[in-house]
Amino acid sequence: MTTTTSAKPRIALERRNVVNALVANRGNDLLAIAGIGSPCWDLAASGDHPMNFYLNGAMGSAAAIGLGLALAQPKKRMLVITGDGELLMSLGILATIGVAAPKNLSVVVLDNEVYLETGAQPTHTGRGVDLAAVARACAIRNAETVYSQAELDAALPKIREADGPVFTVVKILPNKAKLVIPPLEATYTKHRMREALTGKP
């Protein structure tokens, strides 16, 4: 874990490599929710899966949907992958996650410090807002920021297996990756996930 220092650590992680690592060898017990924009395309690029739900719209709702699913499916691991801009739109959800404290929920924020899809305008995280510190203040004790591959490697077991809620900010380069469009119809992905969970159409 990197703590606040006077010198800002160098950011070197690429978003696709991070998401590939997050869902590698996932099996059928990991449900993944991707926030609007690049996180959706990143998750699709890692391989479409019946347990993926892509928020092609509804900016600001990824963590809330992840919380609901974590509470509804306590025997499954819930992974929310979202961006800093998306989470900043609904920061209050961290307080609800902290109070509900689902043990099976991990939230990973791909923090490039910009709104990449709309012209790379800086987000508040590029101006000193510390999302992991906000999460800790919201009673999410397992919250950290990672900058390097070594820190990510150390964080992955916690993200995938530790008692949650787990909140991890992964600082990434503000690079656009090749567009990989996931299924766009939310009704389709909802029914697909339900069938994968219950075995019933």
Side-chain angles (χ1 to χ4, degrees):
M1 182 178 88
T2 301
T3 56
T4 301
T5 62
S6 57
K8 189 175 180 179
R10 178 175 170 269
I11 298 172
L13 293 170
E14 294 281 354
R15 58 185 318 125
R16 289 280 161 88
N17 294 338
V18 172
V19 174
N20 285 339
L22 290 172
V23 297
N25 303 313
R26 63 188 289 183
N28 289 319
D29 288 326
L30 180 71
L31 284 67
I33 306 296
I36 189 171
S38 292
C40 279
W41 307 329
D42 298 334
L43 185 59
S46 74
D48 190 28
H49 193 285
M51 296 290 196
N52 287 354
F53 189 80
Y54 307 96
L55 281 171
N56 294 303
M59 184 172 180
S61 60
I65 290 175
L67 171 61
L69 278 170
L71 295 173
Q73 296 289 331
K75 294 182 180 179
K76 299 289 186 182
R77 188 71 179 186
M78 179 61 51
L79 173 63
V80 174
I81 304 170
T82 192
D84 49 314
E86 203 268 358
L87 182 67
L88 283 164
M89 194 170 184
S90 58
L91 210 52
I93 189 60
L94 295 181
T96 304
I97 290 172
V99 170
K103 291 184 176 181
N104 59 332
L105 175 62
S106 288
V107 177
V108 174
V109 182
L110 304 174
D111 184 1
N112 59 9
E113 303 183 352
V114 296
Y115 292 99
L116 191 60
E117 316 312 326
T118 58
Q121 301 90 346
T123 68
H124 297 328
T125 63
R127 299 180 176 184
V129 171
D130 183 340
L131 292 175
V134 173
R136 286 191 290 273
C138 291
I140 301 173
R141 289 183 293 177
N142 196 344
E144 64 180 338
T145 300
V146 302
Y147 287 85
S148 68
Q149 187 63 50
E151 291 173 340
L152 178 63
D153 291 344
L156 284 172
K158 290 182 278 186
I159 291 168
R160 292 282 295 269
E161 299 170 8
D163 280 353
V166 176
F167 183 87
T168 309
V169 178
V170 182
K171 291 287 187 177
I172 59 170
L173 294 166
N175 298 337
K176 278 196 172 184
K178 182 180 178 181
L179 192 61
V180 179
I181 302 293
L184 296 175
E185 177 55 53
T187 304
Y188 164 74
T189 50
K190 179 189 76 171
H191 289 310
R192 183 178 70 166
M193 180 180 281
R194 178 186 295 163
E195 184 172 355
L197 283 167
T198 66
K200 300 176 183 177

Coordinates of all heavy atoms in Angstrom, one line a residue, residues 30-130:
L30 N -17.3 -15.5 -9.4 CA -17.1 -14.1 -9.4 C -18.0 -13.4 -10.3 O -18.0 -13.6 -11.5 CB -15.6 -13.8 -9.9 CG -15.2 -12.3 -9.9 CD1 -15.1 -11.8 -8.5 CD2 -13.9 -12.1 -10.6
L31 N -18.8 -12.5 -9.8 CA -19.7 -11.6 -10.6 C -19.0 -10.3 -10.7 O -18.4 -9.7 -9.8 CB -21.0 -11.3 -9.8 CG -22.1 -12.5 -9.9 CD1 -21.6 -13.7 -9.1 CD2 -23.4 -12.0 -9.3
A32 N -19.0 -9.8 -12.0 CA -18.2 -8.5 -12.3 C -19.2 -7.5 -12.8 O -19.9 -7.7 -13.8 CB -17.1 -8.8 -13.2
I33 N -19.2 -6.3 -12.2 CA -20.0 -5.1 -12.6 C -19.0 -4.1 -13.2 O -18.1 -3.7 -12.4 CB -20.8 -4.5 -11.5 CG1 -21.7 -5.6 -10.8 CG2 -21.6 -3.4 -12.0 CD1 -22.7 -6.2 -11.7
A34 N -19.2 -3.6 -14.4 CA -18.3 -2.6 -14.9 C -19.0 -1.3 -15.1 O -20.1 -1.2 -15.6 CB -17.8 -3.1 -16.3
G35 N -18.4 -0.2 -14.6 CA -19.0 1.1 -14.7 C -18.9 1.6 -16.1 O -18.2 1.1 -17.0
I36 N -19.7 2.7 -16.4 CA -19.8 3.2 -17.7 C -18.5 3.6 -18.3 O -17.5 4.0 -17.7 CB -20.7 4.4 -17.7 CG1 -21.1 4.9 -19.1 CG2 -20.1 5.6 -16.9 CD1 -22.2 6.0 -19.1
G37 N -18.4 3.4 -19.7 CA -17.2 3.8 -20.4 C -16.1 2.8 -20.4 O -16.4 1.6 -20.6
S38 N -14.9 3.3 -20.3 CA -13.8 2.4 -20.4 C -13.8 1.1 -19.6 O -13.3 0.1 -20.1 CB -12.5 3.2 -20.2 OG -12.3 4.2 -21.2
P39 N -14.2 1.2 -18.3 CA -14.3 -0.1 -17.6 C -15.1 -1.2 -18.3 O -14.8 -2.4 -18.2 CB -14.9 0.3 -16.2 CG -14.4 1.7 -16.0 CD -14.5 2.3 -17.4
C40 N -16.2 -0.8 -18.9 CA -17.0 -1.7 -19.7 C -16.2 -2.3 -20.8 O -16.2 -3.6 -21.0 CB -18.2 -1.1 -20.3 SG -19.6 -0.9 -19.1
W41 N -15.5 -1.5 -21.5 CA -14.7 -2.0 -22.7 C -13.5 -2.8 -22.2 O -13.1 -3.8 -22.8 CB -14.2 -0.8 -23.5 CG -15.4 0.1 -23.9 CD1 -16.7 -0.3 -24.1 CD2 -15.4 1.5 -24.1 NE1 -17.5 0.8 -24.4 CE2 -16.7 1.9 -24.4 CE3 -14.4 2.5 -24.0 CZ2 -17.0 3.3 -24.6 CZ3 -14.7 3.8 -24.2 CH2 -16.0 4.2 -24.5
D42 N -13.0 -2.4 -21.0 CA -11.9 -3.2 -20.5 C -12.3 -4.6 -20.1 O -11.6 -5.6 -20.4 CB -11.3 -2.5 -19.2 CG -10.7 -1.2 -19.5 OD1 -10.3 -0.9 -20.7 OD2 -10.7 -0.3 -18.6
L43 N -13.5 -4.7 -19.4 CA -14.0 -6.0 -19.0 C -14.4 -6.9 -20.2 O -14.1 -8.1 -20.2 CB -15.2 -5.8 -18.1 CG -15.7 -7.1 -17.4 CD1 -14.7 -7.8 -16.6 CD2 -17.0 -6.8 -16.6
A44 N -15.0 -6.2 -21.2 CA -15.3 -7.0 -22.4 C -14.0 -7.5 -23.1 O -14.0 -8.6 -23.6 CB -16.1 -6.1 -23.4
A45 N -13.0 -6.7 -23.1 CA -11.7 -7.1 -23.8 C -11.1 -8.2 -23.0 O -10.3 -9.0 -23.6 CB -10.8 -5.9 -23.8
S46 N -11.3 -8.3 -21.7 CA -10.8 -9.5 -21.0 C -11.5 -10.8 -21.3 O -11.0 -11.8 -20.8 CB -10.8 -9.2 -19.5 OG -12.1 -9.3 -19.0
G47 N -12.6 -10.7 -22.0 CA -13.4 -11.9 -22.3 C -14.8 -11.8 -21.8 O -15.0 -11.6 -20.5
D48 N -15.8 -11.8 -22.6 CA -17.2 -11.7 -22.2 C -17.5 -13.0 -21.3 O -16.9 -14.0 -21.5 CB -18.1 -11.6 -23.4 CG -19.5 -11.3 -22.9 OD1 -19.7 -10.6 -21.9 OD2 -20.5 -11.7 -23.7
H49 N -18.4 -12.8 -20.4 CA -18.7 -13.9 -19.4 C -20.1 -13.7 -19.0 O -20.6 -12.6 -18.8 CB -17.7 -13.8 -18.2 CG -17.7 -15.0 -17.3 ND1 -18.7 -15.2 -16.4 CD2 -16.8 -16.0 -17.2 CE1 -18.4 -16.4 -15.8 NE2 -17.3 -16.8 -16.2
P50 N -20.8 -14.8 -18.7 CA -22.2 -14.7 -18.3 C -22.4 -14.0 -17.0 O -23.4 -13.4 -16.7 CB -22.7 -16.2 -18.1 CG -21.7 -17.0 -18.9 CD -20.4 -16.2 -19.0
M51 N -21.3 -13.9 -16.2 CA -21.3 -13.2 -14.9 C -20.9 -11.8 -15.0 O -20.5 -11.2 -13.9 CB -20.5 -14.0 -13.8 CG -21.0 -15.4 -13.5 SD -22.6 -15.4 -12.6 CE -22.6 -17.1 -12.0
N52 N -20.8 -11.3 -16.2 CA -20.4 -9.9 -16.4 C -21.7 -9.0 -16.5 O -22.6 -9.5 -17.3 CB -19.6 -9.6 -17.6 CG -18.1 -10.1 -17.4 OD1 -17.7 -10.5 -16.3 ND2 -17.4 -10.1 -18.5
F53 N -21.7 -7.9 -15.9 CA -22.8 -6.9 -16.2 C -22.2 -5.6 -16.5 O -21.4 -5.1 -15.7 CB -23.7 -6.8 -14.9 CG -25.0 -6.0 -15.2 CD1 -26.1 -6.6 -15.9 CD2 -25.1 -4.7 -14.9 CE1 -27.2 -5.8 -16.2 CE2 -26.2 -3.9 -15.1 CZ -27.3 -4.5 -15.8
Y54 N -22.5 -5.1 -17.7 CA -21.9 -3.9 -18.2 C -22.9 -2.7 -18.0 O -24.0 -2.7 -18.5 CB -21.6 -4.0 -19.6 CG -20.7 -5.3 -20.0 CD1 -21.4 -6.4 -20.4 CD2 -19.4 -5.3 -19.8 CE1 -20.6 -7.6 -20.7 CE2 -18.6 -6.4 -20.1 CZ -19.2 -7.5 -20.6 OH -18.5 -8.7 -20.9
L55 N -22.4 -1.6 -17.4 CA -23.3 -0.4 -17.2 C -22.9 0.5 -18.4 O -22.1 1.4 -18.3 CB -23.0 0.2 -15.9 CG -23.7 -0.4 -14.7 CD1 -23.3 0.2 -13.4 CD2 -25.2 -0.3 -14.9
N56 N -23.6 0.3 -19.5 CA -23.3 1.1 -20.7 C -24.0 2.5 -20.5 O -23.7 3.4 -21.2 CB -23.9 0.4 -21.9 CG -23.1 -0.8 -22.2 OD1 -21.9 -0.8 -22.4 ND2 -23.8 -2.0 -22.3
G57 N -24.8 2.6 -19.5 CA -25.3 3.9 -19.1 C -25.4 4.0 -17.6 O -24.6 3.3 -16.9
A58 N -26.3 4.8 -17.0 CA -26.4 4.9 -15.6 C -25.2 5.3 -14.8 O -24.8 4.6 -13.9 CB -27.0 3.6 -15.0
M59 N -24.5 6.3 -15.3 CA -23.3 6.7 -14.6 C -23.5 7.0 -13.2 O -24.4 7.7 -12.8 CB -22.7 8.0 -15.3 CG -21.4 8.5 -14.8 SD -20.7 9.8 -15.8 CE -19.2 10.1 -14.9
G60 N -22.6 6.5 -12.3 CA -22.7 6.7 -10.9 C -23.3 5.5 -10.1 O -23.4 5.6 -8.9
S61 N -23.7 4.5 -10.8 CA -24.5 3.4 -10.1 C -23.7 2.1 -10.0 O -24.3 1.2 -9.5 CB -25.8 3.2 -10.9 OG -25.6 2.8 -12.2
A62 N -22.5 2.0 -10.5 CA -21.8 0.7 -10.5 C -21.7 0.2 -9.0 O -22.0 -1.0 -8.8 CB -20.5 0.8 -11.1
A63 N -21.2 1.0 -8.1 CA -21.0 0.5 -6.8 C -22.3 0.1 -6.1 O -22.4 -0.8 -5.3 CB -20.2 1.5 -6.0
A64 N -23.3 0.9 -6.4 CA -24.6 0.6 -5.7 C -25.2 -0.7 -6.3 O -25.7 -1.5 -5.5 CB -25.6 1.7 -6.0
I65 N -25.1 -1.0 -7.5 CA -25.5 -2.3 -8.1 C -24.7 -3.4 -7.5 O -25.2 -4.5 -7.2 CB -25.5 -2.2 -9.6 CG1 -26.6 -1.3 -10.1 CG2 -25.7 -3.6 -10.2 CD1 -26.6 -1.0 -11.6
G66 N -23.4 -3.2 -7.4 CA -22.5 -4.2 -6.8 C -22.9 -4.5 -5.4 O -22.9 -5.7 -5.0
L67 N -23.2 -3.5 -4.6 CA -23.7 -3.7 -3.3 C -24.9 -4.5 -3.2 O -25.0 -5.4 -2.4 CB -23.9 -2.3 -2.6 CG -24.5 -2.4 -1.2 CD1 -23.7 -3.1 -0.2 CD2 -24.8 -0.9 -0.7
G68 N -25.9 -4.1 -4.0 CA -27.2 -4.9 -4.0 C -26.9 -6.4 -4.4 O -27.5 -7.2 -3.7
L69 N -26.1 -6.6 -5.4 CA -25.9 -8.0 -5.8 C -25.1 -8.7 -4.7 O -25.3 -9.9 -4.5 CB -25.1 -8.0 -7.1 CG -26.0 -7.9 -8.3 CD1 -25.1 -7.7 -9.6 CD2 -26.9 -9.1 -8.5
A70 N -24.2 -8.0 -4.0 CA -23.4 -8.7 -3.0 C -24.3 -9.1 -1.8 O -24.1 -10.2 -1.3 CB -22.3 -7.7 -2.5
L71 N -25.3 -8.3 -1.5 CA -26.2 -8.6 -0.4 C -27.2 -9.8 -0.9 O -27.5 -10.6 -0.1 CB -27.0 -7.4 0.0 CG -26.2 -6.3 0.6 CD1 -27.0 -5.0 0.8 CD2 -25.5 -6.7 1.9
A72 N -27.5 -9.7 -2.1 CA -28.5 -10.8 -2.6 C -27.8 -12.1 -2.9 O -28.5 -13.1 -2.8 CB -29.1 -10.3 -3.9
Q73 N -26.5 -12.1 -3.1 CA -25.8 -13.3 -3.5 C -24.6 -13.5 -2.5 O -23.4 -13.4 -3.0 CB -25.3 -13.3 -4.9 CG -26.4 -13.3 -5.9 CD -27.1 -14.6 -6.0 OE1 -26.5 -15.6 -5.8 NE2 -28.4 -14.6 -6.4
P74 N -24.8 -13.7 -1.3 CA -23.7 -13.7 -0.3 C -22.7 -14.8 -0.5 O -21.6 -14.7 0.0 CB -24.4 -13.8 1.1 CG -25.7 -14.4 0.7 CD -26.1 -13.9 -0.6
K75 N -23.0 -15.8 -1.3 CA -22.1 -16.9 -1.5 C -21.2 -16.7 -2.7 O -20.3 -17.5 -3.0 CB -22.8 -18.3 -1.6 CG -23.5 -18.7 -0.3 CD -24.2 -20.0 -0.5 CE -24.9 -20.4 0.8 NZ -25.6 -21.7 0.7
K76 N -21.4 -15.6 -3.4 CA -20.7 -15.3 -4.6 C -19.8 -14.1 -4.3 O -20.1 -13.2 -3.5 CB -21.6 -14.9 -5.8 CG -22.5 -16.0 -6.2 CD -21.7 -17.1 -6.9 CE -22.6 -18.2 -7.5 NZ -21.9 -19.3 -8.1
R77 N -18.6 -14.0 -5.0 CA -17.8 -12.8 -4.8 C -18.2 -11.7 -5.8 O -18.4 -12.0 -7.0 CB -16.3 -13.2 -5.1 CG -15.3 -12.1 -4.8 CD -15.2 -11.9 -3.3 NE -14.2 -10.8 -3.0 CZ -13.9 -10.6 -1.7 NH1 -14.3 -11.3 -0.7 NH2 -13.0 -9.6 -1.5
M78 N -18.4 -10.5 -5.4 CA -18.8 -9.4 -6.2 C -17.7 -8.5 -6.4 O -17.1 -8.0 -5.5 CB -20.0 -8.7 -5.5 CG -20.5 -7.5 -6.3 SD -21.1 -8.0 -7.9 CE -22.2 -9.3 -7.4
L79 N -17.3 -8.2 -7.7 CA -16.3 -7.3 -8.1 C -16.8 -6.2 -8.9 O -17.4 -6.4 -10.0 CB -15.2 -8.0 -8.9 CG -14.1 -7.2 -9.5 CD1 -13.3 -6.5 -8.4 CD2 -13.2 -8.0 -10.3
V80 N -16.7 -5.0 -8.4 CA -17.1 -3.7 -9.1 C -15.8 -3.1 -9.7 O -14.9 -2.9 -8.9 CB -17.8 -2.7 -8.2 CG1 -18.1 -1.4 -9.0 CG2 -19.1 -3.3 -7.7
I81 N -15.8 -2.9 -11.0 CA -14.7 -2.2 -11.7 C -15.2 -1.0 -12.3 O -16.1 -1.0 -13.1 CB -14.1 -3.1 -12.8 CG1 -13.7 -4.5 -12.2 CG2 -12.9 -2.4 -13.4 CD1 -13.3 -5.5 -13.3
T82 N -14.7 0.2 -11.7 CA -15.3 1.4 -12.2 C -14.2 2.5 -12.3 O -13.0 2.2 -12.0 CB -16.4 1.9 -11.3 OG1 -17.1 3.0 -12.0 CG2 -15.9 2.3 -10.0
G83 N -14.5 3.6 -12.8 CA -13.6 4.7 -12.9 C -13.7 5.8 -11.8 O -14.7 5.8 -11.1
D84 N -12.7 6.6 -11.7 CA -12.8 7.7 -10.7 C -13.9 8.7 -11.0 O -14.6 9.1 -10.1 CB -11.4 8.4 -10.6 CG -10.8 8.8 -11.9 OD1 -10.8 8.0 -12.8 OD2 -10.4 10.0 -12.0
G85 N -14.1 9.0 -12.2 CA -15.2 10.0 -12.5 C -16.5 9.4 -12.2 O -17.4 10.1 -11.7
E86 N -16.7 8.1 -12.5 CA -18.0 7.4 -12.3 C -18.3 7.4 -10.8 O -19.4 7.7 -10.3 CB -18.0 6.0 -12.9 CG -19.3 5.4 -13.2 CD -19.9 4.6 -12.0 OE1 -19.2 4.4 -11.0 OE2 -21.0 4.1 -12.2
L87 N -17.3 7.0 -10.0 CA -17.5 6.9 -8.5 C -17.7 8.3 -7.9 O -18.5 8.5 -7.0 CB -16.3 6.2 -7.9 CG -16.5 6.0 -6.3 CD1 -17.6 5.0 -6.1 CD2 -15.2 5.6 -5.7
L88 N -17.0 9.3 -8.4 CA -17.1 10.6 -7.8 C -18.6 11.1 -8.0 O -19.0 12.0 -7.2 CB -16.1 11.6 -8.5 CG -14.7 11.5 -8.0 CD1 -13.8 12.2 -9.0 CD2 -14.5 12.1 -6.6
M89 N -19.3 10.6 -9.0 CA -20.6 11.1 -9.2 C -21.6 10.6 -8.1 O -22.7 11.1 -7.9 CB -21.1 10.5 -10.6 CG -22.4 11.2 -11.1 SD -22.7 10.7 -12.8 CE -24.1 11.7 -13.1
S90 N -21.2 9.5 -7.4 CA -22.1 9.0 -6.4 C -21.3 8.6 -5.1 O -21.4 7.5 -4.6 CB -22.8 7.7 -6.9 OG -21.9 6.8 -7.4
L91 N -20.5 9.5 -4.7 CA -19.5 9.2 -3.6 C -20.2 8.7 -2.3 O -19.6 7.9 -1.5 CB -18.7 10.4 -3.3 CG -17.3 10.2 -2.8 CD1 -16.5 9.2 -3.7 CD2 -16.5 11.5 -2.7
G92 N -21.5 9.1 -2.1 CA -22.2 8.7 -0.9 C -22.4 7.2 -0.8 O -22.6 6.7 0.3
I93 N -22.3 6.5 -1.9 CA -22.5 5.0 -1.8 C -21.4 4.4 -0.9 O -21.6 3.3 -0.3 CB -22.5 4.4 -3.2 CG1 -22.9 2.9 -3.1 CG2 -21.1 4.5 -3.9 CD1 -24.2 2.6 -2.6
L94 N -20.3 5.0 -0.8 CA -19.2 4.4 0.1 C -19.7 4.4 1.5 O -19.3 3.4 2.3 CB -17.9 5.3 0.0 CG -17.2 5.2 -1.4 CD1 -16.0 6.1 -1.4 CD2 -17.0 3.8 -1.9
A95 N -20.4 5.4 2.0 CA -20.9 5.3 3.3 C -21.9 4.1 3.5 O -21.9 3.5 4.5 CB -21.6 6.6 3.7
T96 N -22.7 3.9 2.5 CA -23.7 2.8 2.6 C -23.0 1.5 2.6 O -23.3 0.5 3.3 CB -24.7 2.9 1.5 OG1 -25.3 4.2 1.5 CG2 -25.8 1.8 1.6
I97 N -21.9 1.4 1.7 CA -21.2 0.1 1.7 C -20.5 -0.1 3.0 O -20.4 -1.2 3.6 CB -20.1 0.2 0.6 CG1 -20.8 0.1 -0.8 CG2 -19.1 -0.9 0.7 CD1 -19.9 0.3 -2.0
G98 N -19.9 1.0 3.6 CA -19.3 0.9 4.9 C -20.2 0.4 6.0 O -19.8 -0.4 6.9
V99 N -21.4 0.9 6.0 CA -22.4 0.5 7.0 C -22.9 -0.9 6.8 O -23.0 -1.7 7.7 CB -23.5 1.5 7.1 CG1 -24.7 1.0 7.9 CG2 -23.0 2.9 7.6
A100 N -23.2 -1.2 5.5 CA -23.7 -2.6 5.2 C -22.6 -3.6 5.4 O -22.9 -4.8 5.8 CB -24.3 -2.6 3.8
A101 N -21.4 -3.3 5.0 CA -20.2 -4.1 5.2 C -20.4 -5.5 4.7 O -20.1 -6.5 5.4 CB -19.9 -4.2 6.7
P102 N -20.7 -5.7 3.4 CA -20.8 -7.1 2.8 C -19.4 -7.7 2.7 O -18.5 -7.0 2.2 CB -21.5 -6.8 1.5 CG -21.1 -5.4 1.1 CD -21.1 -4.7 2.4
K103 N -19.2 -8.9 3.2 CA -17.9 -9.5 3.2 C -17.5 -9.9 1.8 O -16.3 -10.2 1.6 CB -17.9 -10.7 4.1 CG -18.0 -10.3 5.6 CD -17.9 -11.5 6.5 CE -17.9 -11.1 8.0 NZ -17.8 -12.3 8.9
N104 N -18.4 -10.0 0.9 CA -18.1 -10.5 -0.5 C -18.0 -9.5 -1.5 O -18.0 -9.8 -2.7 CB -19.2 -11.5 -0.9 CG -20.6 -10.9 -0.9 OD1 -20.9 -10.0 -0.2 ND2 -21.5 -11.4 -1.7
L105 N -17.8 -8.2 -1.1 CA -17.8 -7.1 -2.1 C -16.4 -6.5 -2.2 O -15.8 -6.1 -1.2 CB -18.8 -6.0 -1.7 CG -18.8 -4.7 -2.6 CD1 -19.2 -5.1 -4.0 CD2 -19.7 -3.7 -2.0
S106 N -15.9 -6.4 -3.4 CA -14.7 -5.6 -3.7 C -15.0 -4.5 -4.7 O -15.7 -4.8 -5.7 CB -13.6 -6.5 -4.3 OG -13.1 -7.3 -3.3
V107 N -14.6 -3.3 -4.5 CA -14.7 -2.2 -5.4 C -13.3 -1.8 -5.9 O -12.5 -1.5 -5.0 CB -15.4 -1.0 -4.8 CG1 -15.5 0.1 -5.8 CG2 -16.8 -1.4 -4.3
V108 N -13.1 -1.9 -7.2 CA -11.8 -1.4 -7.7 C -12.0 -0.2 -8.6 O -12.9 -0.2 -9.5 CB -11.1 -2.5 -8.5 CG1 -9.9 -2.0 -9.2 CG2 -10.8 -3.7 -7.7
V109 N -11.3 0.9 -8.3 CA -11.5 2.1 -9.0 C -10.2 2.3 -9.9 O -9.1 2.3 -9.4 CB -11.6 3.3 -8.1 CG1 -11.7 4.6 -8.9 CG2 -12.7 3.1 -7.1
L110 N -10.5 2.3 -11.2 CA -9.4 2.5 -12.2 C -9.2 4.0 -12.3 O -10.0 4.7 -12.9 CB -9.7 1.9 -13.5 CG -10.0 0.4 -13.5 CD1 -10.4 -0.1 -14.9 CD2 -8.8 -0.4 -13.1
D111 N -8.3 4.6 -11.6 CA -8.1 6.0 -11.4 C -7.1 6.6 -12.3 O -5.9 6.5 -12.1 CB -7.8 6.3 -10.0 CG -7.8 7.8 -9.7 OD1 -8.1 8.6 -10.6 OD2 -7.5 8.2 -8.5
N112 N -7.5 7.2 -13.5 CA -6.6 7.8 -14.4 C -6.6 9.4 -14.2 O -5.9 10.1 -15.0 CB -6.9 7.5 -15.8 CG -8.3 7.8 -16.2 OD1 -9.0 8.5 -15.5 ND2 -8.8 7.4 -17.4
E113 N -7.4 9.8 -13.2 CA -7.4 11.2 -12.9 C -8.0 12.2 -13.9 O -7.8 13.4 -13.9 CB -6.0 11.7 -12.4 CG -5.5 10.9 -11.3 CD -4.1 11.4 -10.7 OE1 -3.5 12.3 -11.4 OE2 -3.7 10.8 -9.7
V114 N -8.7 11.6 -14.9 CA -9.3 12.4 -16.0 C -10.7 11.7 -16.4 O -10.9 10.6 -16.1 CB -8.5 12.5 -17.2 CG1 -7.2 13.3 -16.9 CG2 -8.2 11.2 -17.9
Y115 N -11.5 12.6 -17.0 CA -12.7 12.0 -17.7 C -12.3 11.7 -19.1 O -12.4 12.6 -20.0 CB -13.8 13.1 -17.6 CG -14.4 13.4 -16.3 CD1 -14.0 14.5 -15.5 CD2 -15.4 12.5 -15.7 CE1 -14.5 14.7 -14.3 CE2 -15.9 12.8 -14.4 CZ -15.4 13.9 -13.7 OH -15.9 14.1 -12.5
L116 N -11.8 10.5 -19.3 CA -11.2 10.2 -20.6 C -12.1 10.2 -21.8 O -11.7 10.6 -22.8 CB -10.6 8.7 -20.4 CG -9.7 8.3 -21.5 CD1 -8.4 9.2 -21.6 CD2 -9.2 6.9 -21.3
E117 N -13.4 9.9 -21.6 CA -14.3 9.8 -22.7 C -14.8 11.1 -23.2 O -15.3 11.2 -24.3 CB -15.5 8.9 -22.3 CG -15.2 7.6 -21.6 CD -14.1 6.8 -22.2 OE1 -14.0 6.8 -23.4 OE2 -13.4 6.2 -21.4
T118 N -14.6 12.2 -22.4 CA -15.1 13.5 -22.8 C -14.0 14.5 -23.1 O -14.3 15.7 -23.1 CB -16.1 14.0 -21.7 OG1 -15.4 14.1 -20.5 CG2 -17.3 13.1 -21.6
G119 N -12.8 14.0 -23.2 CA -11.7 15.0 -23.6 C -10.6 15.1 -22.5 O -9.8 16.0 -22.6
A120 N -10.6 14.2 -21.6 CA -9.5 14.1 -20.6 C -9.5 15.3 -19.7 O -8.4 15.7 -19.3 CB -8.2 13.8 -21.2
Q121 N -10.7 15.8 -19.3 CA -10.7 16.9 -18.3 C -10.3 16.3 -17.0 O -10.7 15.2 -16.7 CB -12.1 17.5 -18.2 CG -12.6 18.1 -19.5 CD -13.4 17.1 -20.3 OE1 -13.3 15.9 -20.1 NE2 -14.1 17.6 -21.4
P122 N -9.5 17.0 -16.2 CA -9.1 16.4 -14.9 C -10.3 16.2 -13.9 O -11.2 17.0 -13.9 CB -8.1 17.5 -14.3 CG -8.4 18.7 -15.1 CD -9.0 18.3 -16.4
T123 N -10.2 15.1 -13.2 CA -11.1 14.8 -12.2 C -10.5 15.3 -10.9 O -9.4 15.7 -10.8 CB -11.5 13.3 -12.0 OG1 -10.3 12.6 -11.5 CG2 -11.9 12.7 -13.3
H124 N -11.3 15.2 -9.8 CA -10.9 15.7 -8.5 C -9.7 14.9 -8.0 O -8.9 15.4 -7.2 CB -12.0 15.7 -7.5 CG -13.1 16.7 -7.9 ND1 -12.9 17.8 -8.6 CD2 -14.4 16.6 -7.7 CE1 -14.1 18.4 -8.8 NE2 -15.0 17.7 -8.3
T125 N -9.6 13.6 -8.4 CA -8.5 12.8 -7.9 C -7.1 13.3 -8.4 O -6.1 13.1 -7.7 CB -8.6 11.3 -8.2 OG1 -8.6 11.2 -9.7 CG2 -10.0 10.8 -7.7
G126 N -7.1 14.0 -9.5 CA -5.9 14.6 -10.0 C -5.5 15.9 -9.3 O -4.5 16.5 -9.5
R127 N -6.4 16.3 -8.4 CA -6.2 17.6 -7.7 C -6.2 17.3 -6.2 O -6.5 18.2 -5.4 CB -7.3 18.6 -8.0 CG -7.3 18.9 -9.5 CD -8.3 19.9 -9.9 NE -8.2 20.3 -11.3 CZ -8.9 21.2 -11.9 NH1 -9.9 21.8 -11.3 NH2 -8.8 21.5 -13.2
G128 N -5.9 16.1 -5.8 CA -5.7 15.8 -4.4 C -6.7 15.0 -3.7 O -6.5 14.7 -2.5
V129 N -7.9 14.8 -4.3 CA -8.9 14.0 -3.6 C -8.4 12.5 -3.5 O -8.1 11.9 -4.5 CB -10.3 14.1 -4.3 CG1 -11.3 13.1 -3.7 CG2 -10.8 15.5 -4.2
D130 N -8.4 12.0 -2.3 CA -7.9 10.7 -2.0 C -9.1 9.7 -1.8 O -9.7 9.7 -0.7 CB -7.0 10.7 -0.8 CG -6.3 9.4 -0.5 OD1 -6.9 8.3 -0.9 OD2 -5.3 9.4 0.2

